[in-house]
Amino acid sequence: MVTSKQQNETMLPLPTITQIPQPTVADQVFDALRRRILSLELPPSTKISEAEVARQMGVSRQPVREAFKRLAKLGFLMIRPQSGTTVSLISEDAVLRARFIRTALEVKTCRTACRTLTDSGRDSLAALIDVQKEAVSKADRTGFHDADEAFHREICIIAGVEYVWDLLQETKAHMDRIRMLSLDSSLQKIALQEHIDLFDAIISNNPDEAERVLDLHLSRILILIADLKAKDHSYFTEANV
């Protein structure tokens, strides 16, 4: 039964509290291993074990097991119960699939971003261009890769489709490995210029030019695959014909 006192109560206009998620132990293990696989500190075919990772990182095996499963889902690890866990070979087929998916989704995203760009979005992209320039000046491969990722993600945010970037994380692991293997100083400069060209197209509200630049940018992976296979074919699985 509702009392008269309860009927007279008025809800106050209270603010929403934003909770900042903290990385779990499994998140930290995942991130550490992912970075080492990308940088080739853990090259393809390297054997790793839950017990050894847990011992070195000072954690229990449960978060390591969870991190292993996440890395395997992305294509970084191959888990075989009878023969152990190894860093997976790079799948050329997976790279080509990821490139197709990225192009299809990011072209639409960039075209949308051209008309939804705000001043704050423009400033965020400009700041990330500056971070990339700094990484190029220092020949910082990891720093450039991180800023590259943030740049593409920011375009998704500007377009109002951040979930697209989350979706792409599940498909582009092998593509990321190719890029990290290839990010020498000259390629960093090329990628930076393409990002600048894409930025200019977006702020100029020129979706056709944005699509052209992005397609060129993502197609460069085809050249990188051929160059890397010529240097060390043992890193790759055979492509399906």
Side-chain angles (χ1 to χ4, degrees):
M1 179 178 179
V2 179
T3 67
S4 59
K5 179 180 179 182
Q6 289 173 320
Q7 290 176 333
N8 292 331
E9 286 178 349
T10 303
M11 293 300 295
L12 298 176
L14 298 173
T16 300
I17 297 175
T18 302
Q19 297 185 12
I20 301 175
Q22 297 296 319
T24 65
V25 173
D27 291 336
Q28 295 175 64
V29 174
F30 170 85
D31 187 60
L33 290 175
R34 177 180 174 276
R35 286 183 175 276
R36 282 160 178 75
I37 292 171
L38 282 173
S39 67
L40 280 190
E41 291 178 60
L42 291 172
S45 298
T46 300
K47 287 191 173 184
I48 60 175
S49 73
E50 289 181 8
E52 182 60 20
V53 171
R55 185 190 67 79
Q56 289 194 32
M57 299 191 73
V59 299
S60 69
R61 291 183 64 169
Q62 180 55 39
V64 176
R65 186 174 299 116
E66 182 181 333
F68 272 28
K69 288 179 180 178
R70 289 168 60 186
L71 289 164
K73 183 178 180 181
L74 291 177
F76 284 122
L77 294 182
M78 182 70 69
I79 300 175
R80 295 187 177 93
Q82 303 304 321
S83 55
T85 300
T86 59
V87 177
S88 64
L89 296 174
I90 299 172
S91 167
E92 184 176 349
D93 289 331
V95 173
L96 298 179
R97 287 195 298 270
R99 180 247 171 185
F100 182 89
I101 293 169
R102 280 196 69 175
T103 301
L105 291 176
E106 289 196 63
V107 160
K108 179 66 173 179
T109 298
C110 284
R111 296 186 72 92
T112 302
C114 286
R115 58 180 173 78
T116 58
L117 182 70
T118 62
D119 289 344
S120 62
R122 180 198 60 212
D123 293 345
S124 295
L125 289 177
L128 288 167
I129 291 289
D130 289 339
V131 174
Q132 291 173 64
K133 289 179 179 178
E134 180 69 14
V136 168
S137 71
K138 296 178 178 178
D140 180 359
R141 185 172 62 175
T142 300
F144 185 87
H145 180 267
D146 289 346
D148 182 328
E149 293 276 285
F151 181 80
H152 284 271
R153 177 175 177 270
E154 184 63 29
I155 293 174
C156 292
I157 293 172
I158 289 168
V161 291
E162 186 177 1
Y163 59 83
V164 167
W165 190 248
D166 295 334
L167 176 63
L168 289 174
Q169 301 312 300
E170 300 178 7
T171 64
K172 69 185 190 69
H174 290 277
M175 196 174 187
D176 288 342
R177 295 168 79 187
I178 293 288
R179 287 188 56 77
M180 278 294 288
L181 280 168
S182 310
L183 272 179
D184 58 17
S185 179
S186 61
L187 186 66
Q188 288 179 35
K189 292 176 182 177
I190 292 171
L192 170 60
Q193 185 57 56
E194 290 170 350
H195 286 160
I196 292 172
D197 293 342
L198 184 57
F199 172 70
D200 289 342
I202 291 173
I203 65 174
S204 301
N205 192 16
N206 189 339
D208 290 339
E209 176 64 6
E211 178 174 344
R212 185 194 70 80
V213 174
L214 181 68
D215 186 60
L216 173 66
H217 182 59
L218 295 180
S219 294
R220 198 169 298 282
I221 199 78
L222 304 177
I223 300 172
L224 301 181
I225 291 173
D227 289 345
L228 289 172
K229 289 179 70 174
K231 293 176 183 176
D232 195 336
H233 200 282
S234 66
Y235 282 170
F236 292 83
T237 61
E238 291 296 329
N240 294 323
V241 179

